Amino acid sequence: MAGARDRADPPMSLPILHHCAGARSFRCLWAAEEAGLEIDLRMLPFPPRVFAPAFKDVNPLGTIPAWEEHGHVITESAAICERIAHGTPLAVTPDEADWLPYLNWMHRSDATLTFPQTLVLRYTRLEPKDRRLPQAAEDYLGFFLGRAKSIERALEDGRAFLVAGRFTMADVTVGYAITLAQSLKIDGELGPLTKAWYARLTERDAFKRAREREGGGTSIPE
């Protein structure tokens, strides 16, 4: 049953998250659950620029996520996660030793680990069959798998999470890259430490709540 924050007319003061199940906007939904931040969740079909054209009135690019707050719209998932983490233990602050590694993971999560997977998705599932490019998909799959080794290396010293000796927003943003890899069925070659770390993330109550709120599935086509 939907909770009070999922009702049709939530308080206007709540930030709005436009989200497609299983898409990179899941980072933001999971982040909000971890932070205990109430949001107005607006579910959309994937891709919204095709199946929900009115969404372009919110984000002219037609991409998700889109986060509306105080008259501003943020469309970068890692930036939304950084906003959610601000002022909470999920953020690593400049006075902490791991602040710079934290920033690097936050940006690596999308630019290096999610982006190549979106090209695999496009050229294996989204494009019409006569426009699919197996070689491009294979190349970008190799790009992702090579860059994902950085997660394995970071965990070799026995740490449970990526930085700062605790669970942080870096685990959320990078963790989504593995969520996407699972949905694309390209996670089999990830290292054992990476898989164990991701298993710890998916056992978190906030992860489970986020999956439940989005319906427990994915809008990404098989």
Side-chain angles (χ1 to χ4, degrees):
M1 179 183 297
R5 56 189 166 183
D6 292 322
R7 292 172 185 164
D9 298 305
M12 293 300 293
S13 59
L14 290 183
I16 299 170
L17 173 63
H18 300 268
H19 170 51
C20 296
R24 73 178 78 191
S25 47
F26 180 74
R27 279 190 178 108
C28 312
L29 176 56
W30 178 12
E33 290 294 333
E34 290 284 359
L37 179 64
E38 290 195 59
I39 61 172
D40 175 4
L41 180 63
R42 306 280 180 91
M43 296 297 299
L44 295 166
F46 181 86
R49 64 183 176 275
V50 175
F51 297 111
F55 174 61
K56 287 190 175 181
D57 293 339
V58 176
N59 177 12
L61 296 175
T63 60
I64 48 92
W67 177 273
E68 298 184 77
E69 186 175 12
H70 302 312
H72 298 282
V73 177
I74 309 176
T75 59
E76 297 298 324
S77 61
I80 295 167
C81 289
E82 186 172 354
R83 173 264 174 267
I84 292 170
H86 183 70
T88 79
L90 294 166
V92 178
T93 56
D95 60 315
E96 295 184 72
D98 273 359
W99 179 55
L100 293 180
Y102 169 78
L103 292 179
N104 200 47
W105 281 117
M106 291 289 288
H107 290 271
R108 179 182 294 176
S109 67
D110 213 28
T112 301
L113 296 174
T114 302
F115 172 72
Q117 294 189 78
T118 64
L119 295 178
V120 174
L121 172 63
R122 175 174 181 175
Y123 290 117
T124 60
R125 300 187 187 183
L126 298 183
E127 290 285 352
K129 289 187 177 181
D130 62 342
R131 287 180 50 83
R132 294 180 182 180
L133 300 173
Q135 183 175 346
E138 183 178 348
D139 289 346
Y140 278 97
L141 171 58
F143 185 102
F144 163 69
L145 291 173
R147 274 53 181 186
K149 291 178 181 178
S150 62
I151 305 171
E152 192 75 5
R153 288 193 294 270
L155 299 168
E156 286 177 346
D157 62 1
R159 67 182 66 189
F161 302 109
L162 291 175
V163 293
R166 67 180 188 274
F167 178 86
T168 72
M169 194 58 74
D171 295 289
V172 172
T173 58
V174 177
Y176 171 72
I178 309 306
T179 300
L180 180 58
Q182 279 196 342
S183 71
L184 295 175
K185 299 179 174 60
I186 59 174
D187 59 316
E189 296 182 46
L190 296 173
L193 298 176
T194 302
K195 291 178 179 178
W197 162 78
Y198 182 68
R200 288 193 291 275
L201 302 187
T202 61
E203 285 302 311
R204 295 181 66 84
D205 289 341
F207 182 94
K208 294 176 181 178
R209 288 195 303 269
R211 291 289 286 171
E212 183 177 359
R213 288 190 72 184
E214 71 170 7
T218 179
S219 300
I220 297 173
E222 293 291 333

